[in-house]
Coordinates of all heavy atoms in Angstrom, one line a residue:
M1 N -86.1 -54.5 -235.9 CA -85.1 -54.8 -236.9 C -84.2 -55.8 -236.3 O -83.7 -55.7 -235.2 CB -84.4 -53.5 -237.1 CG -83.1 -53.7 -238.1 SD -82.6 -52.2 -238.9 CE -81.5 -51.5 -237.6
S2 N -83.9 -56.9 -237.1 CA -82.9 -57.9 -236.6 C -81.5 -57.5 -236.6 O -81.1 -56.6 -237.5 CB -83.1 -59.1 -237.3 OG -82.8 -59.0 -238.7
M3 N -80.6 -58.0 -235.9 CA -79.3 -57.7 -235.7 C -78.4 -58.9 -235.8 O -78.8 -59.8 -235.5 CB -79.0 -56.9 -234.5 CG -80.0 -55.7 -234.1 SD -79.3 -54.1 -233.8 CE -77.6 -54.2 -233.6
F4 N -77.2 -58.7 -236.3 CA -76.1 -59.8 -236.3 C -74.8 -59.2 -236.2 O -74.6 -57.9 -236.3 CB -76.3 -60.6 -237.6 CG -75.8 -59.9 -238.9 CD1 -74.5 -60.1 -239.3 CD2 -76.7 -59.1 -239.5 CE1 -74.1 -59.4 -240.4 CE2 -76.3 -58.4 -240.7 CZ -74.9 -58.5 -241.1
S5 N -73.9 -60.0 -235.7 CA -72.5 -59.5 -235.5 C -71.6 -60.5 -236.3 O -71.8 -61.7 -236.3 CB -72.3 -59.6 -234.1 OG -71.0 -59.3 -233.8
V6 N -70.6 -59.9 -236.9 CA -69.5 -60.6 -237.6 C -68.2 -60.1 -237.0 O -68.0 -58.9 -236.8 CB -69.6 -60.4 -239.1 CG1 -68.4 -60.9 -239.7 CG2 -70.9 -60.8 -239.6
E7 N -67.4 -61.0 -236.6 CA -66.1 -60.7 -236.1 C -65.1 -60.8 -237.3 O -64.7 -61.9 -237.7 CB -65.7 -61.8 -235.1 CG -66.4 -61.6 -233.8 CD -66.1 -60.3 -233.1 OE1 -65.1 -59.8 -233.1 OE2 -67.2 -59.8 -232.5
P8 N -64.5 -59.7 -237.8 CA -63.5 -59.7 -238.8 C -62.4 -60.5 -238.5 O -61.7 -61.2 -239.4 CB -63.2 -58.3 -239.0 CG -64.5 -57.4 -238.6 CD -64.9 -58.3 -237.4
A9 N -61.9 -60.5 -237.2 CA -60.8 -61.3 -236.8 C -61.0 -62.8 -237.1 O -60.1 -63.6 -237.4 CB -60.4 -60.9 -235.4
A10 N -62.2 -63.2 -236.8 CA -62.5 -64.6 -236.9 C -62.6 -65.0 -238.5 O -62.2 -66.2 -238.8 CB -63.9 -65.0 -236.3
L11 N -63.1 -64.1 -239.4 CA -63.0 -64.4 -240.8 C -61.6 -64.4 -241.2 O -61.2 -65.4 -242.0 CB -63.7 -63.2 -241.5 CG -65.2 -63.2 -241.4 CD1 -65.8 -62.0 -242.1 CD2 -65.8 -64.5 -242.0
R12 N -60.7 -63.6 -240.7 CA -59.2 -63.7 -241.0 C -58.6 -64.9 -240.6 O -57.8 -65.4 -241.3 CB -58.5 -62.3 -240.5 CG -58.8 -61.1 -241.3 CD -58.0 -59.9 -240.9 NE -58.4 -58.8 -241.7 CZ -59.3 -57.9 -241.2 NH1 -59.8 -58.1 -240.0 NH2 -59.6 -56.8 -242.0
A13 N -58.9 -65.3 -239.4 CA -58.4 -66.5 -238.8 C -58.8 -67.8 -239.7 O -58.0 -68.7 -240.0 CB -58.8 -66.8 -237.4
A14 N -60.1 -67.8 -240.0 CA -60.5 -68.9 -241.0 C -59.8 -68.8 -242.3 O -59.5 -69.9 -242.8 CB -62.1 -68.7 -241.1
A15 N -59.6 -67.7 -242.8 CA -58.9 -67.5 -244.2 C -57.6 -68.0 -244.0 O -57.0 -68.8 -245.0 CB -58.9 -66.1 -244.6
E16 N -56.9 -67.8 -242.9 CA -55.5 -68.2 -242.8 C -55.4 -69.7 -242.6 O -54.5 -70.4 -243.1 CB -54.8 -67.5 -241.5 CG -54.6 -66.0 -241.9 CD -53.8 -65.8 -243.2 OE1 -52.8 -66.5 -243.5 OE2 -54.1 -64.9 -244.0
Q17 N -56.4 -70.3 -241.9 CA -56.4 -71.7 -241.7 C -56.7 -72.4 -243.1 O -56.0 -73.4 -243.4 CB -57.6 -72.2 -240.8 CG -57.2 -71.9 -239.4 CD -58.4 -72.3 -238.4 OE1 -59.6 -72.3 -238.9 NE2 -58.1 -72.8 -237.2
L18 N -57.6 -71.9 -243.9 CA -57.8 -72.4 -245.2 C -56.5 -72.3 -246.1 O -56.1 -73.2 -246.9 CB -59.0 -71.7 -245.9 CG -60.3 -72.1 -245.3 CD1 -61.4 -71.3 -245.9 CD2 -60.6 -73.6 -245.5
R19 N -55.9 -71.1 -246.0 CA -54.7 -70.9 -246.7 C -53.6 -71.8 -246.4 O -52.9 -72.5 -247.3 CB -54.2 -69.5 -246.6 CG -52.9 -69.2 -247.4 CD -52.5 -67.8 -247.3 NE -53.6 -66.9 -247.7 CZ -53.6 -65.6 -247.8 NH1 -52.5 -64.9 -247.4 NH2 -54.5 -65.0 -248.2
G20 N -53.5 -72.2 -245.1 CA -52.5 -73.1 -244.7 C -52.8 -74.6 -245.2 O -51.9 -75.3 -245.6
A21 N -54.0 -74.9 -245.1 CA -54.5 -76.2 -245.6 C -54.2 -76.3 -247.1 O -53.7 -77.4 -247.7 CB -56.0 -76.5 -245.4
R22 N -54.5 -75.4 -247.8 CA -54.3 -75.3 -249.3 C -52.8 -75.3 -249.6 O -52.4 -76.1 -250.5 CB -54.9 -74.0 -249.9 CG -54.4 -73.6 -251.2 CD -54.8 -74.5 -252.3 NE -54.3 -74.0 -253.5 CZ -53.1 -74.3 -254.0 NH1 -52.3 -75.1 -253.4 NH2 -52.7 -73.8 -255.3
Q23 N -52.0 -74.6 -248.9 CA -50.5 -74.7 -249.1 C -49.9 -76.1 -248.8 O -48.9 -76.4 -249.3 CB -49.8 -73.6 -248.4 CG -50.2 -72.2 -249.1 CD -49.6 -71.1 -248.3 OE1 -49.3 -71.2 -247.1 NE2 -49.7 -69.9 -248.9
A24 N -50.5 -76.7 -247.8 CA -50.0 -78.0 -247.4 C -50.3 -79.1 -248.5 O -49.5 -80.1 -248.5 CB -50.7 -78.5 -246.1
E25 N -51.2 -78.9 -249.3 CA -51.5 -79.8 -250.4 C -50.9 -79.4 -251.6 O -51.4 -78.5 -252.3 CB -53.1 -79.9 -250.5 CG -53.7 -80.7 -249.4 CD -53.3 -82.1 -249.2 OE1 -53.1 -82.8 -250.1 OE2 -53.2 -82.4 -248.0
R26 N -49.9 -80.0 -252.0 CA -49.2 -79.8 -253.3 C -49.9 -80.3 -254.5 O -50.6 -81.3 -254.4 CB -47.8 -80.2 -253.3 CG -46.9 -79.6 -252.1 CD -46.6 -78.1 -252.4 NE -46.0 -77.5 -251.3 CZ -46.1 -76.3 -250.9 NH1 -47.0 -75.6 -251.5 NH2 -45.4 -75.8 -249.9
A27 N -49.6 -79.8 -255.6 CA -50.2 -80.3 -256.9 C -49.7 -81.7 -257.1 O -48.6 -82.0 -256.8 CB -49.9 -79.5 -258.1
P28 N -50.6 -82.6 -257.6 CA -50.0 -84.0 -257.8 C -48.9 -84.1 -258.9 O -49.1 -83.4 -259.9 CB -51.4 -84.7 -258.3 CG -52.2 -83.6 -258.8 CD -51.9 -82.4 -258.0
Q29 N -48.0 -84.8 -258.6 CA -46.9 -85.1 -259.6 C -47.0 -86.6 -260.0 O -46.8 -87.4 -259.1 CB -45.5 -84.7 -259.0 CG -45.4 -83.3 -258.5 CD -45.5 -82.4 -259.7 OE1 -44.9 -82.6 -260.8 NE2 -46.2 -81.3 -259.6
W30 N -47.1 -86.8 -261.3 CA -47.3 -88.2 -261.6 C -46.0 -88.8 -262.2 O -45.4 -88.2 -263.0 CB -48.4 -88.4 -262.7 CG -49.8 -88.0 -262.2 CD1 -50.4 -86.8 -262.2 CD2 -50.7 -88.8 -261.4 NE1 -51.7 -86.8 -261.6 CE2 -51.8 -88.0 -261.1 CE3 -50.5 -90.2 -260.9 CZ2 -52.9 -88.6 -260.3 CZ3 -51.6 -90.6 -260.1 CH2 -52.8 -89.8 -259.9
P31 N -45.6 -89.8 -261.7 CA -44.4 -90.4 -262.3 C -44.8 -91.0 -263.7 O -45.9 -91.3 -263.9 CB -44.0 -91.6 -261.3 CG -45.3 -91.9 -260.7 CD -46.0 -90.6 -260.6
A32 N -43.8 -91.4 -264.5 CA -44.2 -91.9 -265.7 C -44.7 -93.3 -265.5 O -44.2 -94.1 -264.6 CB -42.8 -92.2 -266.6
L33 N -45.8 -93.6 -266.2 CA -46.5 -94.9 -265.9 C -45.7 -95.9 -266.8 O -45.4 -95.8 -267.9 CB -47.9 -94.8 -266.5 CG -48.8 -93.9 -265.8 CD1 -50.2 -93.8 -266.4 CD2 -49.0 -94.3 -264.3
P34 N -45.5 -97.0 -266.1 CA -44.7 -98.1 -266.7 C -45.8 -98.7 -267.9 O -46.9 -98.6 -267.8 CB -44.5 -99.2 -265.7 CG -45.6 -98.9 -264.5 CD -45.9 -97.4 -264.7
D35 N -45.1 -99.5 -268.7 CA -45.9 -100.3 -269.7 C -46.3 -101.6 -269.0 O -45.5 -102.4 -268.7 CB -44.9 -100.6 -270.9 CG -45.8 -101.3 -272.0 OD1 -47.0 -101.4 -271.9 OD2 -45.1 -101.8 -273.0
F36 N -47.6 -101.7 -268.8 CA -48.1 -102.8 -268.1 C -49.0 -103.7 -269.0 O -49.9 -104.4 -268.6 CB -48.8 -102.4 -266.8 CG -49.8 -101.3 -266.8 CD1 -51.2 -101.5 -267.3 CD2 -49.4 -100.1 -266.4 CE1 -52.0 -100.4 -267.3 CE2 -50.3 -99.0 -266.5 CZ -51.6 -99.1 -266.9
G37 N -48.7 -103.5 -270.2 CA -49.3 -104.5 -271.2 C -50.7 -104.2 -271.9 O -50.8 -103.9 -273.0
E38 N -51.7 -104.1 -271.0 CA -53.0 -103.9 -271.5 C -53.2 -102.5 -272.0 O -53.1 -101.5 -271.3 CB -54.1 -104.2 -270.4 CG -55.5 -103.8 -270.8 CD -56.0 -104.6 -271.9 OE1 -55.8 -105.8 -272.1 OE2 -56.6 -103.9 -272.8
Q39 N -53.3 -102.3 -273.4 CA -53.3 -101.0 -274.0 C -54.6 -100.1 -273.6 O -54.3 -98.9 -273.4 CB -53.3 -101.2 -275.5 CG -52.1 -101.8 -276.1 CD -50.8 -101.0 -275.7 OE1 -50.8 -99.8 -275.7 NE2 -49.8 -101.8 -275.3
V40 N -55.7 -100.7 -273.6 CA -56.9 -99.9 -273.1 C -56.7 -99.4 -271.8 O -56.9 -98.2 -271.4 CB -58.1 -100.7 -273.3 CG1 -59.4 -99.9 -272.8 CG2 -58.3 -101.1 -274.8
L41 N -56.3 -100.3 -270.8 CA -56.2 -99.9 -269.4 C -55.0 -98.9 -269.3 O -55.2 -97.9 -268.5 CB -55.8 -101.2 -268.6 CG -55.6 -100.9 -267.1 CD1 -56.9 -100.3 -266.4 CD2 -55.3 -102.2 -266.4
Q42 N -54.0 -99.1 -269.9 CA -52.8 -98.2 -269.9 C -53.3 -96.7 -270.5 O -52.9 -95.7 -269.9 CB -51.7 -98.7 -270.7 CG -50.4 -97.9 -270.5 CD -49.2 -98.7 -270.9 OE1 -49.2 -99.9 -270.9 NE2 -48.1 -97.9 -271.3
A43 N -54.0 -96.7 -271.6 CA -54.5 -95.5 -272.0 C -55.4 -94.8 -271.1 O -55.4 -93.5 -270.9 CB -55.2 -95.7 -273.4
A44 N -56.2 -95.5 -270.4 CA -57.2 -94.9 -269.5 C -56.3 -94.4 -268.3 O -56.6 -93.3 -267.8 CB -58.1 -96.0 -269.0
A45 N -55.4 -95.1 -267.8 CA -54.6 -94.6 -266.7 C -53.8 -93.3 -267.1 O -53.7 -92.4 -266.3 CB -53.5 -95.7 -266.2
R46 N -53.2 -93.3 -268.3 CA -52.5 -92.1 -268.7 C -53.5 -90.9 -268.9 O -53.2 -89.8 -268.5 CB -51.9 -92.3 -270.0 CG -50.6 -93.2 -269.9 CD -49.7 -93.0 -271.1 NE -48.4 -93.6 -270.7 CZ -48.0 -94.8 -271.1 NH1 -48.8 -95.5 -271.8 NH2 -46.9 -95.3 -270.8
A47 N -54.7 -91.1 -269.4 CA -55.7 -90.1 -269.6 C -56.0 -89.5 -268.2 O -56.2 -88.3 -268.1 CB -56.9 -90.6 -270.4
F48 N -56.3 -90.4 -267.3 CA -56.6 -90.0 -265.9 C -55.5 -89.1 -265.4 O -55.8 -88.0 -264.8 CB -56.8 -91.2 -265.0 CG -57.0 -90.9 -263.6 CD1 -58.2 -90.4 -263.1 CD2 -56.0 -91.0 -262.6 CE1 -58.5 -90.1 -261.8 CE2 -56.2 -90.7 -261.4 CZ -57.4 -90.2 -260.9
A49 N -54.3 -89.6 -265.5 CA -53.1 -88.8 -264.9 C -53.0 -87.4 -265.6 O -52.7 -86.5 -264.9 CB -51.9 -89.6 -265.0
Q50 N -53.3 -87.4 -266.8 CA -53.2 -86.1 -267.6 C -54.3 -85.2 -267.2 O -54.2 -83.9 -267.3 CB -53.2 -86.4 -269.1 CG -51.9 -86.9 -269.6 CD -51.9 -87.4 -271.0 OE1 -53.1 -87.3 -271.6 NE2 -50.8 -87.7 -271.6
N51 N -55.4 -85.7 -266.8 CA -56.7 -84.9 -266.5 C -56.6 -84.4 -265.0 O -57.3 -83.4 -264.7 CB -58.0 -85.5 -266.8 CG -58.1 -85.7 -268.3 OD1 -57.8 -84.8 -269.0 ND2 -58.8 -86.7 -268.7
V52 N -55.9 -85.1 -264.2 CA -55.9 -84.7 -262.8 C -55.3 -83.3 -262.5 O -55.9 -82.6 -261.7 CB -55.3 -85.8 -261.9 CG1 -55.0 -85.4 -260.5 CG2 -56.2 -87.0 -261.8
V53 N -54.1 -83.1 -263.2 CA -53.4 -81.9 -262.8 C -54.3 -80.6 -263.2 O -54.4 -79.6 -262.4 CB -52.0 -82.0 -263.6 CG1 -51.4 -80.6 -263.4 CG2 -51.2 -83.0 -262.9
P54 N -54.8 -80.6 -264.4 CA -55.7 -79.3 -264.7 C -56.9 -79.2 -263.8 O -57.2 -78.1 -263.4 CB -56.2 -79.5 -266.1 CG -55.3 -80.6 -266.7 CD -54.8 -81.4 -265.6
V55 N -57.5 -80.3 -263.4 CA -58.7 -80.3 -262.5 C -58.2 -79.7 -261.1 O -58.8 -78.9 -260.5 CB -59.4 -81.6 -262.4 CG1 -60.3 -81.7 -261.2 CG2 -60.1 -81.9 -263.7
W56 N -57.1 -80.3 -260.7 CA -56.5 -79.8 -259.4 C -56.2 -78.4 -259.4 O -56.5 -77.8 -258.5 CB -55.2 -80.6 -259.0 CG -54.5 -80.0 -257.9 CD1 -53.4 -79.1 -258.0 CD2 -54.7 -80.4 -256.5 NE1 -53.1 -78.9 -256.7 CE2 -53.7 -79.6 -255.8 CE3 -55.6 -81.3 -255.9 CZ2 -53.7 -79.7 -254.5 CZ3 -55.5 -81.3 -254.5 CH2 -54.6 -80.5 -253.8
S57 N -55.6 -77.9 -260.5 CA -55.3 -76.5 -260.6 C -56.5 -75.5 -260.5 O -56.5 -74.5 -259.8 CB -54.5 -76.2 -261.9 OG -53.3 -76.9 -262.0
T58 N -57.5 -76.0 -261.2 CA -58.8 -75.3 -261.2 C -59.4 -75.3 -259.7 O -59.8 -74.2 -259.3 CB -59.9 -75.9 -262.2 OG1 -59.4 -75.8 -263.5 CG2 -61.1 -75.1 -262.1
R59 N -59.4 -76.4 -259.0 CA -60.0 -76.5 -257.7 C -59.1 -75.6 -256.8 O -59.6 -75.0 -255.8 CB -60.1 -77.9 -257.2 CG -61.0 -78.7 -258.0 CD -62.5 -78.1 -257.9 NE -63.3 -78.8 -258.9 CZ -63.8 -78.3 -260.0 NH1 -63.5 -77.0 -260.3 NH2 -64.6 -78.9 -260.8
A60 N -57.8 -75.7 -256.9 CA -56.9 -74.9 -256.1 C -57.1 -73.4 -256.3 O -57.1 -72.6 -255.3 CB -55.4 -75.3 -256.4
E61 N -57.4 -73.0 -257.5 CA -57.7 -71.5 -257.7 C -58.9 -71.2 -257.1 O -59.1 -70.0 -256.5 CB -57.8 -71.3 -259.3 CG -56.4 -71.3 -259.9 CD -56.6 -71.3 -261.4 OE1 -57.6 -70.9 -262.0 OE2 -55.5 -71.5 -262.1
E62 N -60.0 -72.1 -257.2 CA -61.2 -71.8 -256.5 C -61.1 -71.6 -255.0 O -61.6 -70.9 -254.4 CB -62.3 -72.8 -256.9 CG -62.7 -72.8 -258.2 CD -63.5 -74.0 -258.8 OE1 -63.6 -75.0 -258.0 OE2 -64.1 -74.0 -259.8
F63 N -60.3 -72.5 -254.4 CA -60.0 -72.5 -253.0 C -59.3 -71.2 -252.6 O -59.7 -70.6 -251.7 CB -59.1 -73.7 -252.6 CG -59.2 -74.2 -251.3 CD1 -60.2 -75.0 -250.8 CD2 -58.2 -73.7 -250.3 CE1 -60.2 -75.5 -249.5 CE2 -58.3 -74.2 -249.0 CZ -59.3 -75.0 -248.6
D64 N -58.3 -70.8 -253.4 CA -57.7 -69.5 -253.2 C -58.6 -68.3 -253.3 O -58.6 -67.4 -252.5 CB -56.5 -69.3 -254.2 CG -55.4 -70.2 -253.9 OD1 -55.3 -70.8 -252.8 OD2 -54.6 -70.4 -254.9
E65 N -59.6 -68.4 -254.1 CA -60.6 -67.3 -254.2 C -61.5 -67.2 -253.0 O -61.9 -66.2 -252.5 CB -61.5 -67.6 -255.4 CG -60.8 -67.3 -256.7 CD -61.6 -67.6 -258.0 OE1 -62.8 -68.0 -257.8 OE2 -61.1 -67.7 -259.1
V66 N -61.8 -68.4 -252.4 CA -62.5 -68.5 -251.2 C -61.8 -67.7 -250.0 O -62.3 -66.9 -249.3 CB -62.9 -69.9 -250.6 CG1 -63.4 -69.9 -249.2 CG2 -63.9 -70.6 -251.6
V67 N -60.5 -68.0 -249.9 CA -59.6 -67.3 -248.9 C -59.7 -65.9 -249.2 O -59.9 -65.0 -248.2 CB -58.2 -67.8 -249.0 CG1 -57.2 -66.9 -248.2 CG2 -58.1 -69.3 -248.6
E68 N -59.5 -65.3 -250.5 CA -59.6 -63.9 -250.8 C -60.9 -63.3 -250.5 O -61.0 -62.2 -250.0 CB -59.2 -63.6 -252.3 CG -57.8 -64.0 -252.5 CD -56.7 -63.4 -251.6 OE1 -56.8 -62.2 -251.4 OE2 -55.8 -64.2 -251.1
R69 N -62.0 -64.0 -250.7 CA -63.4 -63.5 -250.4 C -63.5 -63.4 -248.9 O -64.2 -62.4 -248.4 CB -64.4 -64.3 -251.1 CG -64.5 -64.1 -252.5 CD -65.6 -64.8 -253.1 NE -65.1 -66.1 -253.6 CZ -65.7 -67.1 -254.0 NH1 -66.9 -67.1 -254.1 NH2 -65.0 -68.2 -254.5
L70 N -63.0 -64.3 -248.1 CA -63.1 -64.2 -246.7 C -62.4 -62.9 -246.2 O -62.9 -62.3 -245.3 CB -62.5 -65.6 -246.0 CG -63.5 -66.7 -245.9 CD1 -62.7 -67.9 -245.5 CD2 -64.6 -66.5 -245.0
L71 N -61.2 -62.8 -246.7 CA -60.4 -61.6 -246.3 C -61.1 -60.3 -246.7 O -61.1 -59.3 -246.0 CB -59.0 -61.6 -246.9 CG -58.1 -62.8 -246.3 CD1 -56.8 -62.9 -247.1 CD2 -57.8 -62.6 -244.8
A72 N -61.7 -60.3 -247.9 CA -62.4 -59.1 -248.4 C -63.7 -58.8 -247.5 O -64.0 -57.7 -247.2 CB -62.8 -59.2 -249.9
S73 N -64.3 -59.9 -247.1 CA -65.5 -59.8 -246.3 C -65.1 -59.1 -244.9 O -65.8 -58.3 -244.4 CB -66.2 -61.1 -246.1 OG -66.7 -61.6 -247.2
A74 N -63.9 -59.7 -244.3 CA -63.5 -59.2 -243.1 C -63.2 -57.6 -243.2 O -63.6 -56.8 -242.3 CB -62.2 -59.9 -242.7
D75 N -62.6 -57.2 -244.3 CA -62.3 -55.8 -244.5 C -63.5 -55.1 -244.6 O -63.7 -53.9 -244.1 CB -61.5 -55.6 -245.7 CG -60.1 -56.1 -245.7 OD1 -59.5 -56.3 -244.5 OD2 -59.4 -56.3 -246.7
A76 N -64.6 -55.5 -245.4 CA -65.8 -54.9 -245.6 C -66.6 -54.6 -244.2 O -67.1 -53.6 -244.0 CB -66.7 -55.6 -246.6
Y77 N -66.6 -55.7 -243.5 CA -67.3 -55.6 -242.2 C -66.6 -54.7 -241.2 O -67.3 -53.9 -240.5 CB -67.5 -57.0 -241.5 CG -68.5 -57.8 -242.0 CD1 -68.3 -59.0 -242.8 CD2 -69.9 -57.4 -241.9 CE1 -69.4 -59.7 -243.3 CE2 -71.0 -58.1 -242.4 CZ -70.7 -59.4 -243.1 OH -71.7 -60.1 -243.6
E78 N -65.3 -54.6 -241.2 CA -64.5 -53.8 -240.4 C -64.7 -52.3 -240.8 O -65.0 -51.5 -240.0 CB -63.0 -54.2 -240.5 CG -62.2 -53.4 -239.4 CD -60.8 -54.2 -239.5 OE1 -60.1 -54.1 -240.5 OE2 -60.5 -54.8 -238.4
Q79 N -64.8 -52.1 -242.2 CA -65.0 -50.8 -242.6 C -66.4 -50.3 -242.3 O -66.7 -49.2 -242.0 CB -64.8 -50.7 -244.1 CG -64.8 -49.2 -244.7 CD -63.8 -48.3 -244.0 OE1 -62.6 -48.8 -244.0 NE2 -64.2 -47.2 -243.6
A80 N -67.4 -51.2 -242.4 CA -68.7 -50.8 -242.0 C -68.9 -50.5 -240.6 O -69.6 -49.5 -240.1 CB -69.7 -52.0 -242.3
D81 N -68.1 -51.2 -239.7 CA -68.1 -50.8 -238.3 C -67.5 -49.4 -238.1 O -68.0 -48.6 -237.3 CB -67.3 -51.9 -237.5 CG -68.1 -53.1 -237.2 OD1 -69.3 -53.1 -237.5 OD2 -67.4 -54.1 -236.8
L82 N -66.3 -49.2 -238.8 CA -65.8 -47.8 -238.7 C -66.6 -46.7 -239.2 O -66.8 -45.6 -238.7 CB -64.5 -47.8 -239.5 CG -63.4 -48.6 -238.9 CD1 -62.2 -48.7 -239.9 CD2 -63.0 -48.1 -237.5
D83 N -67.3 -47.0 -240.3 CA -68.2 -46.0 -240.9 C -69.4 -45.7 -239.9 O -70.0 -44.6 -240.0 CB -68.7 -46.5 -242.4 CG -67.7 -46.4 -243.3 OD1 -66.5 -45.9 -243.1 OD2 -67.9 -47.1 -244.4
G84 N -69.9 -46.7 -239.2 CA -71.0 -46.6 -238.4 C -70.7 -46.1 -237.0 O -71.6 -45.8 -236.2
A85 N -69.4 -46.0 -236.6 CA -69.1 -45.6 -235.3 C -69.3 -44.1 -235.1 O -69.1 -43.2 -236.0 CB -67.6 -45.9 -235.1
P86 N -69.9 -43.7 -234.0 CA -70.1 -42.3 -233.6 C -68.7 -41.5 -233.6 O -67.7 -42.0 -233.2 CB -70.7 -42.2 -232.4 CG -70.6 -43.6 -231.7 CD -70.3 -44.6 -232.8
R87 N -68.8 -40.3 -234.2 CA -67.6 -39.5 -234.2 C -67.7 -38.3 -233.4 O -68.6 -37.7 -232.9 CB -67.3 -39.0 -235.7 CG -67.1 -40.3 -236.5 CD -67.0 -39.9 -238.0 NE -67.1 -41.2 -238.6 CZ -66.8 -41.3 -239.8 NH1 -66.5 -40.5 -240.6 NH2 -67.0 -42.6 -240.3

């Protein structure tokens, strides 16, 4: 039977590093775009700016979920160790 080892503390440390990186990156804030003449280009720039924030929010939520899954995994491995320990 093969064996492997997981360090719950290492998973928690990785989760905290990811959480710190996520918190350091704030959601983009777009200033009002100036009128720079070319209507098609200006419309494209506005559409891009309007689409970035929802995409950012979705990715940030996914990133937060990775952090939560790492913490849940650490808890599960720790509980498995406790359940398997001789009493």
